[in-house]
């Protein structure tokens, strides 16, 4: 065992110990909560292995944050008041914390509360156990974050587009909310929240809540989120931001130098909302805005309610990457309304969202467009299944994951997204689109603002769509999809006429045709991605050079294309592209792009040595989510 494995093992042991202690401590009953569901008369939540909290006993009902943003010290300082629902007259409130400095805790009667912080467990942080009484209606925790709190990224003014003002953003999913707010950091727990944020005059603060559209010279901003949300949807960003409306109830925030480009790119946002509503019911959150963050944002997008956070790497200048907006918008139903109860049920968030996203895209951009995306998705999925199987992790190819004791980040693969989507497509095909749409609309409406788990979804599916029809049930093979590895035999086989044309060109090029002879007129980003993926690992250095000479791919303005292309360049050590690769790795922080490029480099000794040099320069610009992953890729 290497050091890291020993560390992981000891944290698993520590966490299991904590879990045992917590469950022994439970005052109310000795009945196991494992199989309990929110529709049970008891309204019990399933046990969440990634949280120390005890929401079945005491749950947060409302949160009020009062925080000062200090760019100078790179910390948030202030308090959080938690209004409690003490269901079982419990005497201990357990909260999740990590990388926080807890100063003092007051009960609502003004007395100081006794509290204890548990051992620090890797990834999970420390259990904050607060003594309360049955009369305690609220506790106020005075605390500060630390400059390394992993949810937060503090950017210097040089790291922004405008170069004039510093910038801050948070990323709470999956279990990073606890690194900036002491809370019940479990997706099944929902509460309303309000906040007062004080920052530098000249900057605008935004949250996953009601937002202003203009800076206030006082630098003080107030927020309300009157609908219950899970902790992973808590979000804050502060920067030199401006707003432009894009329709009735949507718009975009960006740094001033970026704003016009974003407005152009997102022209379809209102019609995406309209299409989504036509499919599965009214948008529940009032306003839908997107904030375009600096390039170090570690994800493509994050569905923070009322305010999606998005990477600027989708601003391609041709609207070709806006499916990401449809995706984050779709989460306003799948995820933000009906929420995975634990991270083992992550596919309920992401699989439904990819399915929904593609339905929106099909409505707006047409069937051929959707077919291309679906076929590309199947390619990604097959690759992921092959990789996980080879690594001996076949269980991670099940839709229902077993992430207990592990970092929930391990579940963030194409399985939840693509296998999830193809499972839903399989049901759609079996029952017909019309019935499936009625079912989904009902599912989102009846389960709104509630957690959902895999077992309960299957029961709901049975009751509301399959109605005990055993032949229909057998044809869907739900158990194989959910509890079995890889792709079941009834998996769809997506076809796309557009991409068939690309296949012809792949074959011609493989058979020795020169790049300039290829027929690539009217190719969109998706044609190019299919082309590059089809050639993956099959090209010679000469062929890479030929493609670059004709299509100038090394300098493509499209980050998705660059990510695939750079991998090919590294495979054949096409050194002319390395300066561009270095500038990409030092300017973009989106993990989905960084990981495969660093992995390719790490495959050879020389490549790894170079990657390490680049990483040293790039790391100060990466968010913790990204640099932690890259560090493990480059570890010896
Ligand atoms: N909610 C996810 C991002 C996420 C998942 C962050 C789990 C942390 C833990 C978001 O909706 C997402 O899926 N983003 C994708 C884009 C999408 C178009 C597939 C991304 O960031 O690449
Ligand atoms: Zn998503």
């Amino acid at each position: 065992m290497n050091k890291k494995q020993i560390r992981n093992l000891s944290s698993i042991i520590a966490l299991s110990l904590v879990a045992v202690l917590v469950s022994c401590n439970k005052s109310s009953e000795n009945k196991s909560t494992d199989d309990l569901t929110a529709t049970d008369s008891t309204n019990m939540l399933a046990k969440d292995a990634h949280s120390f909290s005890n929401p079945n006993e005491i749950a947060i009902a409302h949160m009020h944050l009062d925080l000062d943003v200090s760019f100078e010290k790179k910390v948030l300082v202030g308090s959080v008041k938690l209004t409690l629902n003490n269901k079982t007259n419990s005497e201990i409130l357990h909260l999740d914390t990590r990388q926080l400095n807890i100063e003092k805790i007051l009960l609502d009667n003004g007395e100081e509360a006794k509290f204890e912080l548990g051992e620090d467990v890797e990834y999970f942080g420390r259990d904050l156990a607060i003594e309360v009484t049955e009369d305690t209606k609220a506790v106020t925790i005075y605390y500060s974050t630390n400059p390394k709190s992993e949810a937060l990224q503090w950017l210097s003014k040089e790291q922004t587009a405008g170069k004039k003002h510093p910038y801050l953003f948070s990323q709470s999913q999956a279990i990073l909310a606890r690194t900036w707010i002491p809370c019940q950091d479990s997706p099944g727990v929902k509460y309303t929240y309000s906040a007062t944020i004080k920052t530098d005059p000249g900057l605008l603060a935004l949250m996953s809540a009601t937002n202003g559209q203009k800076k206030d010279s006082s630098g003080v901003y107030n927020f309300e989120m009157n609908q219950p949300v899970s902790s992973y949807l808590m979000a804050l960003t502060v920067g030199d931001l401006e707003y432009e409306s894009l329709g009735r109830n949507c718009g975009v925030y960006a740094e001033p130098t970026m704003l016009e480009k974003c407005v152009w790119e997102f022209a379809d946002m209102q019609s995406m909302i309209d299409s989504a509503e036509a499919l599965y019911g009214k948008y529940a959150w009032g306003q839908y805005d997107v904030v375009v963050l600096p390039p170090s944002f570690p994800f493509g997008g994050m569905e923070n309610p009322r305010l999606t956070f998005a990477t600027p790497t989708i601003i391609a200048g041709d609207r070709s990457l806006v499916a990401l907006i449809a995706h984050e918008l779709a989460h306003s139903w799948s995820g933000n309304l009906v929420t995975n109860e634990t991270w083992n049920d992550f596919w309920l968030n992401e699989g439904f969202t990819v399915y929904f996203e593609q339905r929106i895209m099909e409505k707006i951009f047409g069937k051929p467009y959707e077919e291309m995306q679906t076929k590309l998705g199947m390619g990604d999925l097959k690759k992921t299944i092959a990789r996980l199987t080879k690594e001996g992790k076949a269980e991670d190819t099940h839709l229902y994951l077993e992430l207990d004791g592990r970092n929930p980040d391990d579940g963030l693969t194409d399985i939840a997204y693509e296998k999830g989507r193809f499972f839903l497509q399989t049901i759609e095909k079996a029952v017909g689109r019309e019935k499936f749409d009625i079912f989904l609309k009902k599912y989102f409406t009846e389960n709104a603002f509630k957690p959902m788990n895999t077992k309960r979804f299957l029961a709901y599916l049975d009751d509301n769509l399959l109605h005990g029809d055993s032949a229909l049930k057998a044809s869907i093979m739900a158990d194989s999809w959910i509890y079995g590895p890889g792709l079941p035999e009834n998996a769809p086989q997506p076809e796309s006429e557009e991409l068939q044309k690309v296949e012809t060109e792949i074959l011609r090029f493989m058979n020795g045709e020169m790049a300039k002879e290829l027929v690539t007129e009217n190719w969109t980003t998706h044609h190019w991605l299919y082309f590059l993926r089809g050639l993956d690992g099959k090209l010679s250095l000469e062929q890479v050079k030929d493609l670059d000479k004709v299509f100038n791919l090394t300098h493509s303005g499209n980050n998705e294309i660059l990510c695939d292309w750079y991998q090919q360049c590294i495979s054949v050590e096409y050194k002319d592209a390395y300066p561009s690769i270095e500038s990409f790795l030092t300017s973009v922080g989106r993990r989905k792009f960084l990981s495969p490029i660093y992995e390719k480099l790490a495959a050879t000794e020389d490549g790894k040595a170079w990657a390490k040099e680049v990483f040293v320069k790039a790391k100060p610009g990466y968010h913790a989510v990204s640099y932690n992953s890259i560090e493990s890729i480059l570890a010896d």
Side-chain angles (χ1 to χ4, degrees), residues 490-552:
N490 65 348
Q493 292 177 331
E495 280 313 327
S496 153
E497 254 179 56
E498 282 303 307
L499 295 184
Q500 233 155 15
K501 296 185 210 159
V502 178
E503 269 167 32
T504 311
E505 300 312 306
I506 292 175
L507 279 178
R508 291 181 61 217
F509 194 59
M510 291 306 302
N511 289 332
E513 196 62 88
M514 297 300 286
K516 65 176 183 340
E517 304 299 334
L518 297 176
V519 184
T520 61
E521 272 90 60
N522 302 323
W523 275 17
T524 65
T525 300
H526 300 98
H527 295 87
W528 280 107
L529 291 177
Y530 194 73
F531 180 71
L532 291 174
R533 287 172 197 175
L535 293 170
D536 187 23
K538 297 180 186 147
L539 295 179
S540 66
L541 176 59
E542 286 316 307
Q543 284 174 310
V544 168
K545 284 185 178 169
D546 183 26
L547 284 174
D548 206 22
K549 201 174 80 213
V550 177
F551 301 113
N552 197 14

Side-chain angles (χ1 to χ4, degrees), residues 280 327 330-331 333-335 338 346-358 416-417 420-421 423-424 427 436 439-440 443-444 452 457:
Y280 302 129
H327 179 94
H331 272 305
W333 287 258
S334 44
V338 186
F346 183 52
W347 78 276
L348 291 176
N349 271 20
E350 297 300 343
F352 276 67
T353 299
V354 174
Y355 176 83
F356 192 165
E357 161 205 333
Q358 289 310 321
Y417 289 80
R421 168 255 285 271
F423 176 44
L424 296 184
I427 307 176
F436 193 52
F439 165 78
L440 281 181
Y443 170 76
F444 291 131
M452 177 57 68
F457 166 70

Side-chain angles (χ1 to χ4, degrees), residues 74 153-167 255 293-296 586-587 617-622:
K74 299 191 171 159
Q153 190 175 10
W154 300 87
L155 296 172
S156 66
K157 51 188 179 195
E158 293 76 26
Q159 291 170 305
T160 65
K163 318 262 180 245
K164 287 197 203 120
H165 299 274
Y167 199 103
E255 286 190 61
L293 297 165
S296 67
T586 49
S587 60
K617 295 183 223 166
K619 187 182 166 186
Y622 293 166

Side-chain angles (χ1 to χ4, degrees), residues 395-464:
E395 290 192 351
D396 286 351
T397 69
H398 301 190
L399 280 179
Y400 181 76
L401 296 169
E402 306 273 1
L403 295 169
D404 298 12
R406 295 159 69 189
N407 187 341
D409 235 35
D410 289 0
L412 189 47
T413 72
D414 281 321
I415 300 300
Y417 289 80
E418 297 295 343
K419 189 176 172 184
R421 168 255 285 271
F422 286 116
F423 176 44
L424 296 184
Q425 273 196 359
T426 304
I427 307 176
E428 181 205 307
K429 221 168 80 197
V431 300
R433 184 169 271 195
E434 205 180 324
K435 278 196 187 150
F436 193 52
D437 281 350
I438 294 169
F439 165 78
L440 281 181
K441 188 171 179 176
K442 185 161 183 249
Y443 170 76
F444 291 131
T445 312
E446 290 184 349
N447 297 293
F449 301 107
K450 288 187 201 152
M452 177 57 68
N453 64 36
T454 302
K455 270 194 195 156
R456 210 160 61 247
F457 166 70
L458 286 176
Y460 191 88
L461 181 72
D462 248 2
D463 291 349
N464 294 283

Side-chain angles (χ1 to χ4, degrees), residues 335-347:
N336 299 3
L337 280 186
V338 186
T339 309
N340 53 207
E341 188 163 43
T342 71
W343 297 115
N344 291 340
D345 306 300
F346 183 52
W347 78 276

